[in-house]
Amino acid sequence: MDRRSKIIIALFVAVLLGIIVTELVRPKPINWRSSYTMTDKIPFGCYVLFQELPNLFSETEVIPIQQNLYDELVARDSTKQSDFILINDGLYFDEQETKQLLKYVNSGNNVFIASTYFSSKLADTLGVDTNTNYTIQEDTVTLSLTNSHFPKKKFKYSRGQTKSYFSKIDTLNTTVLGHIQYKRNTAINPLVEIDEDIVKDDGKPKINFLKIGFGKGYFYLSTSPQAYSNYYMLNGNQEYVANTLSYVQRAPTLLWDNYKKSGRVVIDSPMRFVLNQISLKWAYYLTIIGLIIFVIFKAKREQRIIPVVEPLENTSIAFAKTVGSLYYQHKNYSDLIAKKINYFLQYIRSTYYINTQQINEKTAHNLAVKSGKTIQEAKALLDLLLNLKNKSQHTEADLIALNKKIELFKKIPNGRTRR
């Protein structure tokens, strides 16, 4: 790799690392969505309020409810008194939930609901109706309480506060506990149909907090759920929350709704039913864990497949045959005989350690002694070698005769040939 390529790669890596570090150290943007769950620490979550409930309701057991209202109230013992707190930007109860909620309050329990609107069935039963003044600009709203035991203090909310109020109440069973006030809306878009309630909006305080008697218990309804969020609990408005919740009687048990929340995590996968059933959920988890353990231990017990290594093929014989066939095809018998003689003499030198520089009677005698052949066989072979070596022209018969003599000489008593 050249120097230029190394510089380019180094710059690329440096830029990539810079981007990663920037993303890690960059502050996360604030999440302003509505949540109201007891675990969310975002501005409009209810983590702070839920943590403070044991202090606001001393000697009271706080129980978070993680299932729908109908199942909870049907399973609960109606003889044991309790209070119920429900806070969300909007609360809808179906017919069965509404019946159980009314039955729950009628038995002598209390329900505190903070929501910008209420389902029609519950609102009609309690004789209330709500309205919301929507404006383009986010204005400051002021909340106040009517109880003379509380200081005449006004609590201001400048962000995320919805201008919701009760436009209709049943004066026979209802007590007004608080008001909301905001500036009169003068910025009306001429292209939009003018709402009659906006035209009548005179900027005077409007009802936002009620106490409604129902049977032996009470409903406490507020149209300002944002006041109970983390953002305002940590910005000097915790006194308003404490004063409004003080109306709720100190029952032995306080139920906190954590199901009907905008920020509740909902499982949308096809496994939703299985994961919502405790027995099926644990059976599913145990199956997955069992399969993982099986795969791990099975992989350890089984040996890897050993590849078959083919032995190296001895190609020397094939090479010799190929070279021999080339010489034979060209009919170059003299060259073949010369190479065969040289090869045999080399064989004598390396096998029997005999000097073949000069071939004479002594050479024949030494060869016969060391090879185990007769002096006549050794002398006849050497004479043939000398004769062919001194001959200028050779025939195919000469090559065959030489080959037979050499092969016969190399044979050992058991019939095998020395190599």
Side-chain angles (χ1 to χ4, degrees):
M1 185 181 295
D2 58 356
R3 185 171 179 271
R4 184 169 177 267
S5 300
K6 291 180 179 180
I7 293 174
I8 294 173
I9 294 175
L11 290 175
F12 176 77
V13 173
V15 172
L16 183 62
L17 290 175
I19 294 173
I20 294 174
V21 172
T22 302
E23 288 296 322
L24 291 176
V25 301
R26 183 170 64 91
K28 294 182 179 179
I30 298 176
N31 185 359
W32 290 99
R33 68 180 179 86
S34 299
S35 170
Y36 300 103
T37 61
M38 65 182 187
T39 56
D40 267 339
K41 298 181 180 180
I42 60 177
F44 290 112
C46 280
Y47 175 81
V48 176
L49 175 58
F50 184 79
Q51 296 299 318
E52 291 297 323
L53 286 179
N55 298 326
L56 296 174
F57 297 88
S58 58
E59 300 180 0
T60 299
E61 182 184 10
V62 180
I63 301 176
I65 304 303
Q66 304 288 358
Q67 59 180 343
N68 66 73
L69 186 141
Y70 176 82
D71 292 338
E72 175 63 29
L73 295 182
V74 168
R76 179 160 293 277
D77 187 358
S78 59
T79 60
K80 295 182 179 179
Q81 190 176 9
S82 60
D83 298 324
F84 209 150
I85 295 179
L86 300 98
I87 301 174
N88 197 39
D89 53 356
L91 286 171
Y92 172 79
F93 306 106
D94 59 28
E95 185 175 352
Q96 296 301 323
E97 288 178 327
T98 303
K99 287 182 179 180
Q100 290 299 323
L101 190 62
L102 294 172
K103 181 180 177 181
Y104 173 75
V105 176
N106 187 61
S107 300
N109 303 297
N110 300 304
V111 173
F112 181 93
I113 303 177
S115 174
T116 56
Y117 65 89
F118 306 89
S119 56
S120 58
K121 180 68 175 178
L122 180 62
D124 292 342
T125 304
L126 300 179
V128 298
D129 195 7
T130 59
N131 191 25
T132 302
N133 189 350
Y134 296 100
T135 56
I136 299 176
Q137 185 178 1
E138 192 173 45
D139 299 326
T140 300
V141 301
T142 303
L143 302 183
S144 60
L145 298 173
T146 60
N147 196 322
S148 59
H149 291 86
F150 299 142
K152 294 298 180 181
K153 182 178 179 180
K154 294 185 178 182
F155 302 90
K156 296 185 180 297
Y157 300 85
S158 59
R159 183 157 191 168
Q161 187 65 257
T162 305
K163 301 174 183 178
S164 299
Y165 57 91
F166 291 102
S167 57
K168 172 188 172 183
I169 62 173
D170 182 4
T171 57
L172 295 178
N173 299 317
T174 303
T175 304
V176 177
L177 301 178
H179 293 89
I180 181 173
Q181 187 176 10
Y182 50 87
K183 293 180 180 180
R184 181 179 180 180
N185 181 29
T186 56
I188 300 177
N189 190 342
L191 300 179
V192 181
E193 183 179 355
I194 300 176
D195 193 324
E196 183 180 354
D197 292 324
I198 296 179
V199 175
K200 294 180 180 179
D201 187 2
D202 53 4
K204 293 182 179 180
K206 296 174 177 56
I207 302 170
N208 81 313
F209 188 29
L210 297 176
K211 174 183 178 182
I212 304 174
F214 190 85
K216 298 179 182 179
Y218 293 95
F219 279 98
Y220 296 93
L221 306 182
S222 172
T223 61
S224 304
Q226 297 85 359
Y228 303 88
S229 63
N230 299 328
Y231 182 76
Y232 291 112
M233 286 286 292
L234 298 175
N235 282 279
N237 287 282
Q238 62 273 19
E239 185 180 351
Y240 178 83
V241 176
N243 292 340
T244 55
L245 291 179
S246 66
Y247 285 102
V248 181
Q249 297 180 3
R250 299 300 189 268
T253 304
L254 176 64
L255 307 179
W256 168 273
D257 169 62
N258 204 51
Y259 182 82
K260 286 184 174 294
K261 301 292 186 181
S262 300
R264 180 172 65 92
V265 178
V266 179
I267 301 174
D268 295 327
S269 69
M271 295 294 294
R272 178 178 180 180
F273 176 78
V274 174
L275 297 177
N276 283 338
Q277 305 296 322
I278 296 178
S279 55
L280 293 178
K281 179 175 70 174
W282 280 107
Y284 173 74
Y285 288 157
L286 289 176
T287 301
I288 298 298
I289 293 171
L291 288 175
I292 294 174
I293 294 174
F294 172 77
V295 170
I296 292 174
F297 282 91
K298 184 175 178 61
K300 286 186 176 182
R301 290 175 62 86
E302 287 193 356
Q303 186 179 6
R304 291 184 303 169
I305 298 175
I306 300 176
V308 178
V309 180
E310 297 290 342
L312 297 176
E313 184 180 359
N314 186 1
T315 58
S316 58
I317 297 176
F319 176 74
K321 289 181 178 180
T322 302
V323 174
S325 64
L326 287 174
Y327 277 105
Y328 186 76
Q329 287 176 6
H330 288 84
K331 307 296 183 179
N332 193 352
Y333 303 120
S334 297
D335 197 11
L336 269 174
I337 288 173
K339 283 181 169 55
K340 202 159 186 65
I341 290 172
N342 292 332
Y343 178 75
F344 181 69
L345 293 177
Q346 173 63 30
Y347 169 79
I348 292 174
R349 290 193 296 270
S350 61
T351 304
Y352 303 116
Y353 304 103
I354 297 174
N355 186 6
T356 60
Q357 188 172 4
Q358 292 184 353
I359 299 176
N360 48 33
E361 293 289 337
K362 184 178 179 181
T363 306
H365 178 74
N366 292 336
L367 180 60
V369 172
K370 293 186 178 182
S371 64
K373 301 292 182 177
T374 62
I375 188 67
Q376 289 80 9
E377 292 176 332
K379 192 170 182 300
L381 178 59
L382 293 177
D383 288 341
L384 180 60
L385 294 179
L386 290 174
N387 184 29
L388 293 174
K389 195 172 184 182
N390 295 326
K391 195 175 180 180
S392 58
Q393 296 292 331
H394 300 87
T395 63
E396 183 179 357
D398 294 335
L399 177 61
I400 294 174
L402 177 62
N403 186 67
K404 285 183 177 180
K405 279 286 187 182
I406 292 175
E407 292 295 326
L408 183 63
F409 183 83
K410 287 183 177 181
K411 279 189 177 180
I412 55 179
N414 59 4
R416 296 174 60 190
T417 302
R418 291 187 181 94
R419 296 294 177 190

